[in-house]
């Protein structure tokens, strides 16, 4: 391995954020390692430099972490109650109960119960103590350090029973953190199991089962009814319906036939398909989704960054405060040493920031995993939180609010017949990528007109307005009415202008065809609204979005007709691409704004918005790469779900952080009158962890 090589490893056994951060620090100290970054949500570590799995496992020995190469099969997680290392907790709990029963008969301070409590402390807490002492020597004050001091201190002042109880309840608290982390990761782990590990391939006339890592681009994959596709490709033979829920989140089957694109992880429901493989296994859409989701889970949300910064100051401050609390009253006020040392120990226990540390990452990981299962890729906690506080959503019209497949509806000619007009216009537009241009080309193809035979010279695109080119020595123009207002010396005649307005008021986009001296025809094109568009806008307003805006390069009349029909609160028409970008910039200066588009033509506006949301991520790599959030299906109905999930996640994160801090504050206040015992302190910590965990896991239940 070269020194600068970056390698990814899977890690089994991450219980909490703190142990993940400690593992990262330990790995960075290893010889040959230049940089290391842990992804807690995905249970991975990226290592830059030269190391071995044995060295990595040694760095994770404090938590008995298991490390393996990322390419290896996922190891099934063993539930907490079945893990061998946790039998010591059961033994400790048994000794605690027996010792407590004996203590009720002979007194808690008699020899036999004391030996039993001591045995429970040693058996259940020896690994905790070893790590705690190591940290104490390094002045690394984490939860292990706090608990070690508290338990040994309790034993030193004769509180054996409470010391043993703290050991067992702390172990239970860690188990809950482990459970919640595993539960949150289940969504991404289920994605990794969707696609088969091998597939039937035809090579050289022979059919054989081949592991997906050995399948090459160009191979023919044979997919029988009831089987899942292992690779992305294009259908070369057969017709069937495919359930694409794994990719798009939609369970309604889609019919696929020759030349249609298909994706790994989708289920072939009825017919036999032959598919030409177009991507290697690591480049499939499903692989990209998994990669994006894992990377997004590594991105820290603003609330998580705040919690991490707070915990770094909070834990050392608690230790200093506990020492002062134990020493000052006995020294200067003549109070009992035992009483105030006990209160100091209770403060150490309640000072454990378990619930606070876990309050944000579990919510983020759960939300991102839930979204991925429903065909929405949220690329990080920061975008999840930003989406949860949006006030304005801007939509591109063509292909977002409308179907994006415009059709020619009217051809009004003045000096030539309709077929000649369509032939010449299609010849000019065939090189354009604009949806309106493709409508004219489709019309010419349907009528079998020979527009490809026409020679074009001096072709030039006029940004945001149209195109011009020379045909048979004549310069022709096709574009918006504004183009001809500028091109014609006297502008557009009133009678023609009235015809244009009439068509525009019907919600149609009018393109004008002519020369620099005359208008030869009007071509009206209509792009139908998506069936779901009106309902989606209504749901967004109901969910708390204050303003919805439609941005379009279309004329005002057409834009207003469509905008009013769909129900947006603001309509901005006749915008050039850079004007759409400027509009987003102007909004972003006032409040948080999202831009929804296809991720291709809207890329600058998507990048400028607080949150860029691209549709049709399954069909285009660009949408996946440019957007902060990608809707994998070409379906607007996923948008209200995304906003609902984001708002819920933001609310739960705030609840968790507020609750965790409130519990700590109340517990600390109870110390001064002497009402906070070690029992209550550890129960408050465990209880807060349970509540925060269960609250976060509610995000897995959010549905459309």
């Amino acid at each position: 391995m070269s020194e600068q090589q970056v390698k990814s490893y899977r890690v089994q056994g991450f219980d909490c954020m703190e142990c993940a951060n400690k593992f990262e620090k330990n790995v960075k100290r290893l010889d040959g390692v230049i940089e290391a970054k842990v992804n807690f949500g995905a249970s991975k570590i990226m290592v830059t430099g030269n190391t071995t799995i044995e060295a990595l496992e040694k760095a994770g020995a404090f938590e008995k972490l298991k490390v393996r190469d990322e390419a290896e099969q996922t190891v099934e997680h063993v539930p907490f109650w079945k893990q061998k290392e946790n039998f010591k907790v059961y033994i400790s709990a048994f000794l605690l109960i027996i010792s407590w029963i004996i203590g009720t008969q002979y007194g808690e301070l008699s020899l036999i119960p004391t030996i039993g409590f001591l045995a429970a402390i040693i058996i259940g807490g020896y690994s905790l103590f070893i790590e705690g002492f190591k940290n104490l020597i390094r002045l690394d004050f984490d939860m292990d350090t706090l608990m070690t001091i508290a338990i040994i201190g309790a034993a030193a002042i004769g509180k054996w029973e409470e010391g043993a109880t703290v050991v067992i309840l702390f172990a239970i608290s860690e188990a809950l953190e482990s459970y919640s982390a595993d539960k949150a990761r289940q969504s991404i782990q289920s994605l990794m199991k969707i696609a088969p590990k091998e597939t039937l391939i035809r090579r050289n006339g022979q059919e054989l089962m081949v592991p997906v890592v050995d399948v090459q681009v160009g191979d023919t994959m044979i997919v029988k009814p009831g089987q899942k596709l292992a690779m992305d490709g294009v259908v070369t033979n057969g017709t069937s319906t495919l359930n694409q829920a794994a990719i798009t989140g939609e369970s309604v089957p889609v019919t696929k036939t020759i030349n249609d694109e298909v994706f790994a992880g989708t289920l072939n429901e009825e017919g036999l398909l032959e598919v030409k493989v177009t991507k290697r296994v690591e480049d499939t859409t499903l692989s990209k989704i998994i990669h994006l989701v894992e990377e997004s889970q590594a991105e820290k949300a603003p609330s998580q960054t705040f919690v991490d910064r707070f915990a770094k100051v909070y834990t050392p401050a608690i230790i200093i405060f506990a020492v002062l609390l134990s020493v000052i009253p006995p020294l200067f006020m003549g109070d009992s040493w035992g009483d105030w040392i006990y209160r100091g120990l209770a403060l150490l226990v309640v000072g454990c920031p378990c619930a606070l540390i876990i309050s944000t990452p579990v919510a983020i990981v759960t939300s991102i995993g839930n979204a991925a299962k429903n065909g929405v890729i949220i690329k990080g906690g920061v975008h999840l939180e930003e989406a949860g506080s949006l006030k304005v959503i801007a939509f591109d019209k063509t292909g977002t609010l409308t179907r994006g497949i415009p059709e020619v509806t009217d051809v009004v000619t003045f000096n030539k017949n309709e077929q000649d007009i369509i032939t010449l216009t299609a010849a000019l537009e065939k090189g354009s990528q604009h949806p309106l241009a493709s409508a004219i080309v489709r019309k010419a193809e349907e009528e079998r007109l020979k527009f490809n035979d026409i020679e074009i010279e001096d072709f030039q695109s006029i940004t945001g307005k149209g195109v011009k080119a020379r045909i048979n020595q004549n310069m022709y123009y096709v574009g918006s009415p504004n183009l001809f207002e500028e091109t014609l010396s006297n502008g557009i005649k009133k009678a023609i202008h009235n015809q244009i307005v009439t068509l525009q008021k019907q919600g149609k986009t009018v393109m004008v065809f002519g020369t620099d001296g005359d208008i030869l025809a009007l071509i009206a094109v209509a792009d139908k609204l998506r069936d779901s568009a009106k309902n989606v806008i209504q749901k967004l307003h109901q969910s708390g979005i204050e303003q919805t805006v439609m941005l379009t390069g279309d004329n005002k009349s057409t834009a207003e007709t469509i905008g009013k029909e769909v129900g947006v609160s603001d309509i901005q028409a006749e915008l050039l691409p850079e004007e759409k970008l400027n509009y987003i910039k102007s909004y972003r200066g006032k409040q948080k704004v999202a831009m929804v588009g296809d991720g291709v033509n809207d890329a600058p506006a998507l990048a400028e918005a607080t949150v860029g949301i691209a549709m049709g991520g399954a069909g285009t790599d660009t949408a996946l790469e440019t957007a902060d959030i990608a809707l994998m299906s070409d379906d607007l109905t996923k948008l209200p779900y995304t906003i609902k999930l984001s708002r819920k996640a933001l609310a739960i994160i705030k609840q968790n952080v507020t609750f965790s801090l409130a519990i700590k504050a109340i517990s600390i206040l109870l110390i001064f009158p002497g009402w906070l015992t070690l029992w209550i302190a550890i129960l408050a910590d465990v209880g807060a962890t349970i509540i925060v965990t269960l609250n976060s896991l509610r995000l897995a239940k959010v549905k459309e």
Side-chain angles (χ1 to χ4, degrees), residues 365-424:
V365 172
T366 305
S367 300
I368 290 173
N370 183 358
K373 282 173 69 177
N374 284 282
V376 178
I377 306 302
I378 302 174
K379 291 163 68 175
V382 62
H383 305 306
L384 179 75
E385 288 194 9
E386 294 282 26
S389 54
L390 287 171
K391 297 295 180 188
V392 181
I393 300 183
F395 296 85
D396 184 51
K397 177 182 76 75
T398 305
T400 304
L401 292 173
T402 63
R403 292 178 181 174
I405 311 172
E407 298 172 357
V408 174
T409 57
D410 304 82
V411 180
V412 181
T413 62
F414 299 115
N415 296 325
K416 288 180 178 285
N417 69 49
E418 184 176 315
Q419 286 202 333
D420 287 345
I421 293 292
I422 295 296
T423 305
L424 289 169

Side-chain angles (χ1 to χ4, degrees), residues 394-525:
F395 296 85
D396 184 51
K397 177 182 76 75
T398 305
T400 304
L401 292 173
T402 63
R403 292 178 181 174
I405 311 172
E407 298 172 357
V408 174
T409 57
D410 304 82
V411 180
V412 181
T413 62
F414 299 115
N415 296 325
K416 288 180 178 285
N417 69 49
E418 184 176 315
Q419 286 202 333
D420 287 345
I421 293 292
I422 295 296
T423 305
L424 289 169
T425 312
L428 259 70
E429 293 279 35
K430 65 184 177 184
S432 174
Q433 298 298 314
H434 198 282
L436 299 179
S438 61
I440 293 171
V441 172
R442 276 197 303 275
K443 173 83 170 171
E445 288 171 343
E446 286 167 10
E447 297 189 6
R448 298 184 180 178
L449 303 176
K450 297 182 179 179
F451 64 94
N452 284 315
D453 296 342
I454 295 175
E455 287 190 19
I456 301 289
E457 296 177 327
D458 302 331
F459 177 87
Q460 187 181 338
S461 175
I462 306 162
T463 305
K465 294 176 183 176
V467 297
K468 67 177 183 176
R470 198 177 299 280
I471 301 174
N472 296 330
Q473 304 304 313
N474 295 318
M475 183 63 77
Y476 289 100
Y477 295 75
V478 60
S480 67
N482 286 347
L483 174 63
F484 281 83
E485 289 286 8
E486 295 171 7
T487 303
L488 299 175
S489 55
N490 296 319
I492 298 172
K493 293 175 185 174
K494 190 171 183 181
I496 296 175
H497 178 77
N498 290 340
Q499 285 179 289
I500 291 170
V501 171
T502 301
L503 290 166
Q504 288 175 343
K505 283 182 178 176
Q506 296 168 14
K508 297 170 183 175
T509 303
V510 179
M511 290 188 288
V512 183
F513 173 74
T515 65
D516 55 8
D518 201 8
I519 290 176
L520 303 177
L522 304 177
I523 302 170
V525 175

Side-chain angles (χ1 to χ4, degrees), residues 491-631:
I492 298 172
K493 293 175 185 174
K494 190 171 183 181
I496 296 175
H497 178 77
N498 290 340
Q499 285 179 289
I500 291 170
V501 171
T502 301
L503 290 166
Q504 288 175 343
K505 283 182 178 176
Q506 296 168 14
K508 297 170 183 175
T509 303
V510 179
M511 290 188 288
V512 183
F513 173 74
T515 65
D516 55 8
D518 201 8
I519 290 176
L520 303 177
L522 304 177
I523 302 170
V525 175
D527 186 5
K528 291 182 181 177
L529 266 181
R530 291 177 184 268
D531 296 335
S532 60
K534 189 173 182 178
N535 189 39
V536 164
I537 298 296
Q538 192 177 351
K539 281 184 177 178
L540 289 173
H541 285 152
Q542 288 169 354
S543 70
I545 298 298
E546 293 173 2
Q547 196 171 4
T548 49
V549 187
M550 185 178 79
L551 306 180
T552 178
D554 239 335
N555 64 82
K556 284 183 181 176
S557 297
T558 304
E560 282 178 9
T561 302
I562 291 171
K564 284 174 184 173
E565 187 181 346
V566 77
V568 291
S569 48
D570 190 16
I571 300 158
Q572 296 294 321
E574 299 180 3
L575 299 176
L576 297 173
E578 61 268 23
E579 288 173 329
K580 289 182 184 178
L581 177 63
N582 291 335
Y583 191 82
I584 294 293
K585 279 182 181 176
S586 69
Y587 250 107
R588 192 168 180 183
K590 300 176 230 171
Q591 51 197 322
K592 292 182 178 180
V593 57
M595 175 71 192
V596 186
D598 60 12
V600 183
N601 301 320
D602 318 293
L606 258 65
E608 180 61 34
T610 312
V611 180
I613 303 172
M615 293 175 61
T620 164
D621 290 344
T622 314
L624 278 174
E625 289 160 10
T626 57
D628 302 318
I629 297 175
L631 311 182

Side-chain angles (χ1 to χ4, degrees), residues 95-116:
L95 287 171
L96 173 67
I97 293 165
I98 294 297
S99 300
W100 178 77
I101 292 169
I102 296 170
T104 57
Q105 300 294 321
Y106 300 101
E108 287 180 8
L109 297 178
S110 59
L111 184 61
I112 296 174
T114 302
I115 292 171

Side-chain angles (χ1 to χ4, degrees), residues 293-356:
V293 172
E294 289 187 336
E295 291 302 305
S296 67
Q297 290 177 339
E299 294 294 321
K300 286 189 177 180
S303 56
Q304 191 175 342
T305 307
F306 158 74
V307 166
D308 288 350
R309 283 203 307 265
F310 179 82
K312 278 182 182 176
V313 177
Y314 173 77
T315 307
I318 284 289
I319 291 175
I320 293 166
F321 187 30
V323 171
L324 294 174
L325 189 68
S326 302
V327 172
I328 289 174
L331 276 180
F332 297 100
M333 297 161 64
D335 289 346
S336 162
W337 279 95
D339 186 27
W340 284 99
I341 288 172
Y342 182 82
R343 294 184 194 191
L345 295 175
L347 178 59
L348 286 179
V349 172
V350 84
C352 237
C354 297
L356 186 62

Side-chain angles (χ1 to χ4, degrees), residues 144-162:
D144 289 347
T145 317
L146 291 179
M147 285 298 163
T148 299
I149 297 169
I151 294 161
I152 292 172
I157 60 171
K159 299 289 184 180
W160 299 99
E161 183 180 356
E162 295 190 35

